[in-house]
Amino acid sequence: MTTTNIRGDFKGVEGQIARLLAIGEEFRSKDHDWSHMKNREDWGRNLYKIADGRKRAIFERIYSDGRDMALYMSQTLFSINYDITTYPTISSVIEELDGSWIDSNLDPVVEDAKEVVEEYQLNCWAFDQMVTLFKDQQRLAKVVRDTLDLLKNSNLYKLENGIPVDKGTPSVNISNVTGSNISVASSNVKQKVEGTDAIFADLLAAIDKADIEQKDALIESVAEMQETHGTPSFGDAYKRFMAAAANHMTVFAPFLPALAGLL
């Protein structure tokens, strides 16, 4: 079993992304199974026993929907880890999959096809195997839905969407301090960790060198991230930068792990 390296900017949700990639692999395997089942002799032989065109379409739908679902899910889930232009954020992953096959009511596809099989008294091994494949994919789709719900509760998703994150306050012991201003988890004090300005300088340098026509929005978003780093507003600034940078990910991909680490 090979180990897939998860994108650096998704490290905060590495477990969930790894699960989606594994499910994508399973859907790819099932896509091959669909092709094999359709080419079985008894599939075509039984298909043409159904004289009624509407009922034949109902019988065929278990293949067409099952194959389309396997192909879409395998391609989409694999792309999450590699197509950074299409999926620059966790939010974009969720937006793509929301309302897709994972949220479709697919039970009637199987039940209606079974009624046709019973009506015509078909004995079709390929169809029986397709029913099993279809139900397996329904179960996988539910796991994908549950995983997306977990992602929606992740700190990374919340930061991308301006949702408050409860980070908790660690226990800190401070002693033998005189005449110093120290703030721990104070809501009235702006605190910023120094030493991270290099990433923003590198980003600005990359923008300057890149062949990008409209650079102002990118420069402004980098400046905003630098200004808000270490404050609750950084998540919004990061989201605006990712939106502005979506069409230029080949330029910014090397910087994304470091930026995600600042969230």
Side-chain angles (χ1 to χ4, degrees), residues 75-169:
Q75 290 179 343
T76 300
L77 294 176
F78 271 120
S79 297
I80 290 171
N81 204 39
Y82 306 107
D83 188 352
I84 199 167
T85 300
T86 304
Y87 303 107
T89 62
I90 287 296
S91 301
S92 61
V93 172
I94 294 172
E95 288 167 5
E96 168 64 32
L97 287 163
D98 272 345
S100 68
W101 286 104
I102 66 172
D103 293 323
S104 300
N105 179 16
L106 298 172
D107 289 337
V109 176
V110 175
E111 300 308 318
D112 292 348
K114 282 183 175 179
E115 289 181 7
V116 173
V117 169
E118 291 175 5
E119 179 181 347
Y120 284 86
Q121 297 183 335
L122 302 178
N123 181 17
C124 184
W125 180 87
F127 174 80
D128 293 340
Q129 297 303 306
M130 288 184 184
V131 169
T132 300
L133 274 175
F134 203 95
K135 290 185 175 181
D136 284 346
Q137 291 186 176
Q138 285 180 279
R139 285 189 285 271
L140 288 173
K142 184 180 183 305
V143 177
V144 173
R145 164 47 59 201
D146 292 343
T147 304
L148 294 188
D149 291 340
L150 289 174
L151 287 173
K152 288 181 179 179
N153 286 319
S154 69
N155 286 345
L156 183 55
Y157 177 83
K158 291 177 180 178
L159 286 167
E160 289 176 0
N161 291 277
I163 301 171
V165 175
D166 182 11
K167 297 182 179 180
T169 304

Side-chain angles (χ1 to χ4, degrees), residues 168-185:
T169 304
S171 175
V172 179
N173 295 319
I174 302 174
S175 60
N176 299 322
V177 176
T178 303
S180 299
N181 294 323
I182 297 176
S183 170
V184 178

Side-chain angles (χ1 to χ4, degrees), residues 24 51 146 229 231:
D146 292 343
H229 173 238
T231 75

Side-chain angles (χ1 to χ4, degrees), residues 6-17:
I6 304 302
R7 280 171 49 176
D9 54 321
F10 283 176
K11 286 295 185 181
V13 287
E14 185 172 9
Q16 290 88 351
I17 297 300

Side-chain angles (χ1 to χ4, degrees), residues 14-29:
E14 185 172 9
Q16 290 88 351
I17 297 300
R19 179 189 297 173
L20 294 179
L21 294 177
I23 294 173
E25 178 67 39
E26 187 66 19
F27 269 113
R28 183 165 66 175
S29 173

